[in-house]
Amino acid sequence: PFAQAALARALFALDRPESALEALGRGREQFPDHPAVLLERASLLARVGQPDETTHSRASFTWRFSAEAVDKQVATLLADSATPPLLSRAQRGWAWLVRTELALAIGNDKNAAVTLAEAITSRPLGDLEFSRALADVLLDMGSYSGLRDEAARVLRQWPERAEPWLWLARLALAEGKPDVALDQLSRGQDGGAEMLEIRAQAHRARGDAGDALMDLGAAAALAPSNRRVALGLARIELDQEKRGAAMRRLEKLYAERATVDVAILLGAAYRQSGKVDKARQLLSWATLSSRGKEGFLELARVHRQAGAYREAREAYARAMEVALDTPSARLEAATLAFDLGDDSGARAALVA
């Protein structure tokens, strides 16, 4: 069972989630109640599956599941009082983290916060893989202080590791600080595809499209199927008003596996191409997820373009609330309020 779980994790790292879940399916046939297989499957479903609890149908991806049912399975493991217990101490931390991922998959931020606290309290000691998974969750939840703490913890224990610098660089980009991101990347000894993709984002944020394309090209050579690299290329194509090329790239990614990050960028491409209804559908779904917070600004633009000004103002308010690209959200919200004759609302958007 541990080998099946490790195989699934490796396949997912290669961006082959279908193969990973199939491997876990074989593991369940051989070891139907083994915690290692159950926890790995729950984690993968939370990240790439289609929860029945969400309303948007992702017909392009067939792995449907009930987040509530899977969460109950994990909760049952945690509540077990057998001797010896079904879960080791290390697995208990993983189980709580998996419950956090399941809560995020259906947009239940309140439950995610509770289970995350339990995961950190019962975390396995000296487990770098757990730190990686935790960092992803912290970034998804916008827990920037928690992510900084985790990066510092890993650097104390493994000062030679590059991962913490990558996490801190992603955090800096989320905060709109590309120069800080480049500085963080320069401290880590990593020339892999992930570092190159993050550095490309930082170059693009600084307006250096040429450097960004060079890094994305190098990253694509190292990891041809990397979806983040493909998203980076699509962003630059949109910047350069190559909307047709961007839509083709993004629609292919979405057909392969519909994920929130692809939906947000594809929604932006549809909006820029005048396909407002398609854009609204994608972005309305994406923003239901905790992983889709950056979609609120684009959704506000869609509503404004469609003349739905009340909905636009609500989406701008959500974009400012989650503190992603706040200067753009504030300026656009203020401009909309001013155009609608709401001078006090315009001032409030700028100074709030």
Side-chain angles (χ1 to χ4, degrees):
F2 292 103
Q4 292 285 2
L7 173 61
R9 198 173 303 121
L11 288 167
F12 182 77
L14 294 172
D15 200 31
R16 295 172 57 189
E18 293 91 342
S19 298
L21 287 165
E22 287 167 3
L24 289 169
R26 293 191 295 272
R28 290 181 75 201
E29 291 174 3
Q30 296 175 281
F31 312 96
D33 299 317
H34 198 283
V37 174
L38 190 152
L39 291 176
E40 193 66 34
R41 177 177 178 272
S43 178
L44 281 170
L45 286 172
R47 284 178 279 175
V48 302
Q50 168 62 62
D52 292 333
E53 291 83 353
T54 57
T55 57
H56 180 83
S57 174
R58 293 187 284 178
S60 61
F61 194 69
T62 58
W63 293 94
R64 295 194 63 88
F65 73 106
S66 166
E68 181 181 359
V70 174
D71 184 65
K72 282 183 178 178
Q73 289 179 317
V74 180
T76 299
L77 290 177
L78 284 164
D80 170 67
S81 58
T83 304
L86 289 174
L87 292 179
S88 66
R89 185 190 184 284
Q91 286 177 320
R92 290 188 68 82
W94 276 105
W96 283 113
L97 191 62
V98 167
R99 293 194 69 188
T100 305
E101 292 174 329
L102 289 165
L104 289 175
I106 60 173
N108 192 332
D109 290 4
K110 183 177 179 180
N111 279 2
V114 172
T115 54
L116 177 63
E118 293 284 357
I120 292 172
T121 300
S122 55
R123 63 181 299 152
L125 301 176
D127 188 338
L128 182 59
E129 192 66 33
F130 182 89
S131 290
R132 292 192 186 105
L134 177 60
D136 286 341
V137 167
L138 291 168
L139 190 58
D140 283 343
M141 294 179 68
S143 179
Y144 297 164
S145 62
L147 185 55
R148 287 189 179 92
D149 290 344
E150 188 61 24
R153 174 195 289 268
V154 173
L155 285 171
R156 285 195 301 270
Q157 191 164 3
W158 296 284
E160 76 285 357
R161 299 300 306 191
E163 289 94 331
W165 300 113
L166 301 182
W167 306 338
L168 292 171
R170 288 200 184 280
L171 189 156
L173 286 172
E175 294 180 326
K177 302 174 181 177
D179 291 330
V180 174
L182 290 172
D183 178 65
Q184 303 286 17
L185 291 172
S186 70
R187 303 187 189 194
Q189 303 301 313
D190 187 327
E194 184 179 3
M195 185 280 289
L196 291 165
E197 181 272 327
I198 299 171
R199 195 169 71 183
Q201 286 192 55
H203 285 314
R204 173 179 171 269
R206 298 177 73 248
D208 299 331
D211 288 342
L213 284 170
M214 286 181 60
D215 278 344
L216 289 170
L222 292 172
S225 62
N226 189 298
R227 288 168 67 87
R228 289 183 183 272
V229 173
L231 285 171
L233 291 168
R235 288 188 183 96
I236 292 178
E237 286 167 344
L238 287 176
D239 292 343
Q240 298 175 340
E241 299 186 357
K242 298 176 181 178
R243 300 185 184 101
M247 279 194 293
R248 287 190 295 273
R249 188 187 301 277
L250 292 166
E251 286 172 341
K252 180 175 183 293
L253 288 175
Y254 194 79
E256 291 171 352
R257 188 168 82 251
T259 54
V260 168
D261 53 355
V262 176
I264 291 171
L265 197 56
L266 182 54
Y270 283 150
R271 178 188 65 81
Q272 293 178 31
S273 302
K275 300 179 179 181
V276 176
D277 289 339
K278 282 188 172 184
R280 185 191 297 110
Q281 180 186 16
L282 280 178
L283 292 164
S284 295
W285 163 68
T287 51
L288 292 175
S289 167
S290 295
R291 296 181 170 95
K293 292 176 180 177
E294 66 182 74
F296 281 112
L297 178 57
E298 194 58 44
L299 181 60
R301 292 166 176 164
V302 168
H303 286 315
R304 182 174 184 177
Q305 190 167 320
Y309 300 129
R310 179 180 62 81
E311 291 85 351
R313 296 185 75 170
E314 290 174 355
Y316 278 127
R318 288 290 288 127
M320 290 185 282
E321 181 183 327
V322 298
L324 291 166
D325 202 6
T326 300
S328 295
R330 292 195 186 287
L331 181 59
E332 292 179 31
T335 302
L336 175 59
F338 183 77
D339 290 345
L340 295 173
D342 182 4
D343 293 352
S344 62
R347 286 192 295 272
L350 289 172
V351 303

